[in-house]
Amino acid sequence: MTQDNPNRFTDGNNGHRAAAGRWCSQLRDHAARLDLAEWIHPYSIVIYQLVRMLNFIRRHFFDHFFLADSSVGIASDCAKHIPHIGPHKIRRRHTQANLIVPTNTGLSARMPFHGTAQIPVKGTNMILLHTEAQRVHDTDQLFGIGISSARKRPESVFGFGKSTFLHQVARIFQRVRFQKPCRQHKRHSQQGNWQKRLACAAHVLILLFSLPGPIQAETIKPEDFLTFDAKQAKLGQLLFYDKILSGNRNISCGTCHHHSLHGTDGVSLGIGEGGIGLGTKRVSEDGTNRIIKRIPRNAPGLWNLGHRDVKNVFHDGRISVSDVYGNGFDTPAEEWLPKGLTSIIAAQALFPMTSGAEMAGTHAENEVAGALKDRIDKGWPIIAKRVRTIPEYGALFVDSFEHINKPEDVTIVEIGNAIAAFIGSEWQSYDSPYDEWLTKGTPLPEAADRGRKLFFGKANCAQCHNGPLFTDQGFYAIGLPAFGPGRTRKFDPIPRDVGRMGATDQLEDAYRFSTPTLRNVALTGPYGHNGAYSDLSDMIRHMADPVTAREQWTRNKPTLPNVPWLQKADFIIQEDRLEMARQARVLDVVPVALSDAEVADIEAFLHALTGKTAATRPMGRPDKVPSGLQVD
């Protein structure tokens, strides 16, 4: 079997490729729900299966055995990005393999025929076990196993196949050579070491029988979470809602992640430091204290951050588990992040305190922001001193941490660990109708069950939203409309958000953002890194066809608190023609045709991911905090 370069899905000369793929998906979908013999002549089925078998034998046996190189690579589970010539992520061989067998089918989102080419090699073949989710056509697989290649093939036969609705039959002729074979293919065909080829075939067969099967639906169990101390969690609850942690003592973590708003702020781009109120009712202070810009990104939910599989946080993944700096995490603070933080949530909790727009304020307003101007970690000791000198807090830290003997021992590390204990234990959710369907067999509502089949099938949602958290924690460009102040950098004042590139400084990461978890997604809108869509169905439509949705997007789709003096600047980036063209060129989503009824079914399934106890958290919001400041 041969799969095209992924970027050709959007090429104007290859539109029939995507159309044929959708037709094939619809065929499978109908066949799953109907008696195939009722709408397709039985003899056609026999011919169809015979064609499949012959095509498999012809192409998979001859193409990938006789003409294959003897090098077999086994991609390790952590090999999320296998570089073009970087063999350090490929086992067995120290050279680039011509046949890669992933040991984790979750790596499918990085295969060269999907999205952008993360493995941009020519002639490299992949053995794929989860063929439906990986867009492997029926005629390219047998018993759920397919082999993919990045080689090109003639297009004229496929044009005929599309026009006559004989796509599946047309694939038999795709090796008709209208051009001379490439040098690489000719070189492969001339290799004749039969002993190596037999060894390669035996190796592949062993791997096929030893690798895990297709990706299965997963649920979450209590033991999947990190263990948190109950006393520390109670202390963290108070700190989470205490404005003492902000530079001007006027905003808390809970202001933008409030219980009444299910751990978010309910708006697309929030008002941070300098605001008054909650959610859509939050407004800016007047006069000299008025805000100069909105928070550049949407406030993400806090659900299941304490899960052991969480390896990076924030929309750009700028905080991740790593020992590159000797402190357990890769963060913007680099080596200045203090040691002793017990989880990625603890590391994450420290950084809103360093953001001028979120909690710190400006350097002319308070000592915390003034210290931050010198270095990112300089404000933390000031905040820690504020907290530990409050008698009630001092006593609580001594009681909650074994190594704290007196209030003077408290540092920002203990503050971060206490907040993490609260977030990690408070925002756990694994009791949705979907979980009951998985564990107890409780039927889903009819619409939700149809949506489940679409989610894991035709709509291809599970390509990225997979696993117990419904996220592969990867980074993708999904073409959301740009607006807002952007996450600007000192050397890049354009009001744009370059996403992952801002954390890695790698050009290939431009405009890519992390895959969000979908658990309780119906409660945590607006959606997207900038909250471009307030309605969940609009977000589903965008993911199905980003190009069309982007063209039809209007400025009333996001939910923006009313700030009159910022309204002209909110959409100014859209006037930058070149920047809009740059963003439009980067897209990792292959369009899928969905009807309004199918969109509604997928939305019903996403509602089935809402925990039954999501609205009733164990601790909730405290009535008062030790600092005596007002609790939002």
Side-chain angles (χ1 to χ4, degrees):
M1 160 193 110
T2 305
Q3 285 282 40
D4 273 343
N5 185 303
N7 294 326
R8 297 169 69 187
F9 274 91
T10 56
D11 192 306
N13 295 325
N14 298 283
H16 60 273
R17 182 75 168 85
R22 290 193 294 270
W23 179 84
C24 188
S25 297
Q26 291 169 3
L27 176 64
R28 286 196 299 267
D29 188 51
H30 286 301
R33 289 180 293 177
L34 302 173
D35 183 356
L36 207 59
E38 291 181 3
W39 68 288
I40 298 181
H41 196 280
Y43 294 111
S44 301
I45 300 301
V46 174
I47 296 172
Y48 171 75
Q49 296 294 349
L50 181 61
V51 168
R52 272 183 73 183
M53 182 71 70
L54 292 175
N55 192 45
F56 178 87
I57 293 174
R58 183 190 65 77
R59 306 210 49 239
H60 292 243
F61 185 75
F62 289 96
D63 249 14
H64 301 291
F65 177 64
F66 289 109
L67 302 181
D69 191 23
S70 59
S71 177
V72 177
I74 307 172
S76 66
D77 287 355
C78 63
K80 290 296 182 71
H81 295 77
I82 302 178
H84 180 44
I85 55 173
H88 63 287
K89 291 290 188 182
I90 299 179
R91 309 304 184 199
R92 293 287 182 187
R93 296 279 178 175
H94 296 290
T95 59
Q96 182 105 9
N98 284 85
L99 181 61
I100 296 179
V101 183
T103 61
N104 183 345
T105 52
L107 294 175
S108 63
R110 302 293 184 179
M111 294 300 106
F113 54 88
H114 168 71
T116 54
Q118 294 293 334
I119 314 176
V121 292
K122 294 181 179 178
T124 296
N125 304 318
M126 315 282 166
I127 289 186
L128 308 169
L129 301 183
H130 192 41
T131 52
E132 182 177 357
Q134 293 161 334
R135 296 193 184 92
V136 179
H137 285 236
D138 282 351
T139 52
D140 301 325
Q141 58 170 292
L142 186 67
F143 305 123
I145 297 172
I147 301 178
S148 175
S149 172
R151 288 197 301 270
K152 297 182 178 180
R153 74 283 184 94
E155 300 295 334
S156 56
V157 172
F158 286 92
F160 173 80
K162 178 197 173 186
S163 62
T164 57
F165 300 99
L166 295 175
H167 172 72
Q168 300 296 334
V169 178
R171 295 182 68 83
I172 297 177
F173 303 101
Q174 64 186 10
R175 287 302 301 275
V176 176
R177 292 182 180 175
F178 299 98
Q179 301 174 357
K180 294 181 179 180
C182 64
R183 293 180 181 178
Q184 183 183 24
H185 186 84
K186 184 180 292 185
R187 177 175 56 83
H188 284 181
S189 65
Q190 293 172 350
Q191 294 177 353
N193 192 329
W194 286 96
Q195 291 180 344
K196 288 185 178 181
R197 300 183 193 292
L198 288 172
C200 172
H203 197 165
V204 170
L205 288 174
I206 293 172
L207 286 169
L208 284 175
F209 284 102
S210 63
L211 289 175
I215 298 174
Q216 300 294 328
E218 301 176 66
T219 187
I220 298 178
K221 303 177 291 296
E223 54 267 29
D224 295 333
F225 289 87
L226 299 171
T227 302
F228 298 100
D229 181 84
K231 289 185 178 179
Q232 293 179 18
K234 184 62 180 177
L235 172 57
Q237 177 205 26
L238 300 174
L239 291 166
F240 187 84
Y241 276 98
D242 201 331
K243 297 177 181 179
I244 194 71
L245 300 184
S246 64
N248 291 321
R249 297 177 174 85
N250 60 359
I251 188 172
S252 70
C253 305
T255 304
C256 297
H257 301 278
H258 204 274
H259 273 80
S260 64
L261 297 168
H262 308 288
T264 66
D265 61 0
V267 296
S268 298
L269 302 177
I271 296 175
E273 206 283 332
I276 303 171
L278 287 174
T280 57
K281 297 181 180 179
R282 187 167 176 80
V283 297
S284 171
E285 294 185 27
D286 294 326
T288 57
N289 293 328
R290 72 181 192 174
I291 66 169
I292 59 175
K293 70 175 184 178
R294 304 181 192 274
I295 295 177
R297 290 177 180 163
N298 177 255
L302 305 177
W303 296 102
N304 296 327
L305 287 179
H307 195 279
R308 297 179 188 275
D309 286 349
V310 174
K311 303 302 181 185
N312 61 72
V313 292
F314 289 127
H315 291 293
D316 56 9
R318 64 184 181 274
I319 294 180
S320 60
V321 177
S322 170
D323 205 35
V324 63
Y325 296 111
N327 49 32
F329 304 97
D330 183 357
T331 74
E334 299 179 342
E335 69 269 23
W336 296 308
L337 184 76
K339 296 181 180 180
L341 296 169
T342 56
S343 68
I344 195 171
I345 319 175
Q348 178 272 335
L350 303 188
F351 286 90
M353 305 178 199
T354 68
S355 169
E358 294 182 50
M359 295 183 73
T362 65
H363 66 275
E365 293 177 321
N366 62 78
E367 69 278 15
V368 173
L372 289 171
K373 188 177 181 182
D374 182 31
R375 205 171 71 188
I376 192 171
D377 64 316
K378 293 297 185 179
W380 289 328
I382 300 173
I383 294 172
K385 184 177 180 180
R386 281 186 186 180
V387 172
R388 66 174 177 250
T389 53
I390 297 174
E392 186 177 348
Y393 271 134
L396 287 171
F397 274 101
V398 172
D399 185 48
S400 301
F401 292 88
E402 291 185 0
H403 66 281
I404 299 296
N405 298 314
K406 55 185 184 299
E408 289 80 2
D409 296 335
V410 176
T411 68
I412 199 67
V413 171
E414 286 73 38
I415 292 174
N417 287 337
I419 294 175
F422 170 66
I423 294 174
S425 56
E426 178 76 350
W427 302 98
Q428 295 182 12
S429 182
Y430 44 86
D431 61 349
S432 68
Y434 174 74
D435 292 301
E436 289 193 356
W437 175 80
L438 280 175
T439 58
K440 302 177 182 178
T442 305
L444 291 171
E446 291 184 6
D449 196 55
R450 292 195 301 268
R452 175 186 63 81
K453 294 175 182 177
L454 288 165
F455 185 94
F456 289 101
K458 169 186 174 180
N460 297 320
C461 309
Q463 293 254 359
C464 304
H465 295 284
N466 52 52
L469 298 175
F470 281 83
T471 171
D472 64 357
Q473 300 187 63
F475 301 89
Y476 305 97
I478 63 173
L480 286 175
F483 64 95
R487 188 171 175 81
T488 57
R489 296 176 288 173
K490 291 181 179 179
F491 55 87
D492 182 17
I494 298 176
R496 60 183 172 185
D497 194 335
V498 296
R500 180 65 172 162
M501 191 180 90
T504 66
D505 289 327
Q506 300 295 317
L507 187 60
E508 60 266 27
D509 291 331
Y511 310 118
R512 290 181 165 85
F513 297 87
S514 65
T515 306
T517 176
L518 296 183
R519 287 188 172 272
N520 294 326
V521 66
L523 305 177
T524 55
Y527 306 102
H529 70 273
N530 58 1
Y533 295 96
S534 299
D535 188 86
L536 184 54
S537 63
D538 285 340
M539 189 65 194
I540 296 170
R541 288 187 176 88
H542 179 94
M543 293 305 299
D545 189 353
V547 175
T548 301
R550 185 179 176 124
E551 292 173 352
Q552 296 176 349
W553 185 83
T554 57
R555 296 180 179 183
N556 64 341
K557 295 288 186 182
T559 299
L560 295 171
N562 184 31
V563 185
W565 58 91
L566 294 181
Q567 289 177 355
K568 289 185 178 180
D570 282 337
F571 303 98
I572 195 170
I573 186 62
Q574 296 184 3
E575 298 177 11
D576 189 331
R577 177 178 54 84
L578 296 178
E579 176 61 18
M580 291 299 95
R582 282 190 290 268
Q583 294 189 24
R585 283 196 298 267
V586 184
L587 187 63
D588 296 334
V589 180
V590 178
V592 177
L594 295 177
S595 66
D596 290 342
E598 289 173 323
V599 169
D601 288 343
I602 294 175
E603 184 177 10
F605 173 66
L606 295 181
H607 277 272
L609 301 180
T610 301
K612 292 185 175 181
T613 59
T616 55
R617 297 293 80 212
M619 286 180 276
R621 165 191 171 277
D623 295 326
K624 59 180 181 179
V625 291
S627 68
L629 296 171
Q630 181 182 0
V631 178
D632 285 327

